[in-house]
Amino acid sequence: MEHQASFPFLPRLKGPPPFRPSASQQDAQRQLARHAERFARAPSGLTTIVMFGAEGAGKTRIVDEFVPASLDQACDALDVRGLAPLALFGFINSSAVERRVLVVEARSPPTLWFQEEPEVPPDLRSRLAAAPVVEVDRPSESDLRSVLAADLKLHGQRLSETDLEFVAERLPRDLGAPRRFCRELDELDARHARREQLQQMLEKVHVAPLKPF
């Protein structure tokens, strides 16, 4: 029976993505697949890939939904936040021994990790320096618009094309913002005018107040 490592992997998302991956996500997916293929050809060595990007850039979606479609190897994702250096060192070594691709997700490049830690093993620094690094950019307005349209449909909400553009232009560049917007929209008082509703929603998802309509 194949041994399964007990890593604190990221929670997996359920169901297929309701939207197309952004250009940045597609590029990150191609890079991850290319590095994983190189690992598969090598008889030994590290199998760790670092993927970093801002919150809401879609890193977990990439690993959970887009990557499995293009990888033959087992792929696990690990969030570096909250991990002690020695713990990360152990996970990197274990993944190499088991020949499993380990994608370490973070919001910053590895050169900025553990700066406040007094003792970081030099071998960990060398392993991180040797790991390929993939950066994921924030979604564009058009990317965010497609996610917003999909989430509105999931919530049974409808916006006119004009209102859809109005909201997409003002949402934070965060793939979680459309879902937060839709959840708040579900709670709004239907007696308010539509644009007043949308303004309230944008303020609740941390968008600065807009000029009067």
Side-chain angles (χ1 to χ4, degrees):
M1 180 180 296
E2 181 181 359
H3 173 66
Q4 173 64 52
S6 298
F7 291 170
F9 295 132
L10 297 177
R12 312 327 296 160
L13 303 176
K14 304 298 184 182
F19 52 87
R20 290 177 57 82
S22 68
S24 177
Q25 289 174 320
Q26 289 176 322
D27 182 56
Q29 179 184 349
R30 285 191 293 267
Q31 292 183 60
L32 289 170
R34 185 170 63 250
H35 293 311
E37 183 180 356
R38 177 166 58 85
F39 292 156
R41 291 197 302 266
S44 62
L46 296 179
T47 57
T48 298
I49 305 170
V50 174
M51 180 170 59
F52 78 94
E55 182 180 7
K59 300 183 296 296
T60 303
R61 286 276 185 183
I62 291 171
V63 173
D64 193 62
E65 297 179 342
F66 307 143
V67 169
S70 59
L71 289 189
D72 294 328
Q73 273 187 289
C75 179
D76 297 310
L78 182 67
D79 194 328
V80 76
R81 289 177 297 174
L83 276 182
L86 284 176
L88 177 59
F89 190 39
F91 297 142
I92 290 174
N93 289 337
S94 295
S95 68
V97 170
E98 297 192 7
R99 307 308 299 162
R100 297 177 68 87
V101 176
L102 178 65
V103 180
V104 181
E105 299 183 27
R107 296 182 184 176
S108 60
T111 53
L112 302 180
W113 300 355
F114 308 125
Q115 291 185 327
E116 303 300 321
E117 295 284 346
E119 296 183 6
V120 178
D123 283 351
L124 174 59
R125 294 288 189 199
S126 65
R127 281 161 173 72
L128 291 175
V133 177
V134 176
E135 182 176 3
V136 187
D137 292 333
R138 290 183 181 274
S140 66
E141 181 184 317
S142 60
D143 296 330
L144 211 61
R145 186 184 185 282
S146 66
V147 177
L148 175 61
D151 282 343
L152 284 166
K153 184 176 180 180
L154 288 174
H155 281 249
Q157 297 280 1
R158 297 184 66 180
L159 292 182
S160 68
E161 286 298 315
T162 300
D163 285 347
L164 189 65
E165 292 292 344
F166 173 85
V167 173
E169 287 175 358
R170 292 161 175 79
L171 280 176
R173 292 295 171 263
D174 170 352
L175 288 173
R179 182 60 53 84
R180 296 196 302 271
F181 177 88
C182 292
R183 286 172 178 166
E184 293 293 341
L185 188 60
D186 289 342
E187 302 299 323
L188 277 181
D189 190 333
R191 292 173 296 178
H192 291 298
R194 191 59 165 177
R195 274 302 172 92
E196 185 179 347
Q197 286 185 326
L198 300 181
Q199 177 63 61
Q200 289 181 43
M201 292 311 310
L202 289 166
E203 291 172 359
K204 286 191 175 186
V205 292
H206 310 296
V207 177
L210 305 172
K211 296 179 180 179
F213 302 124

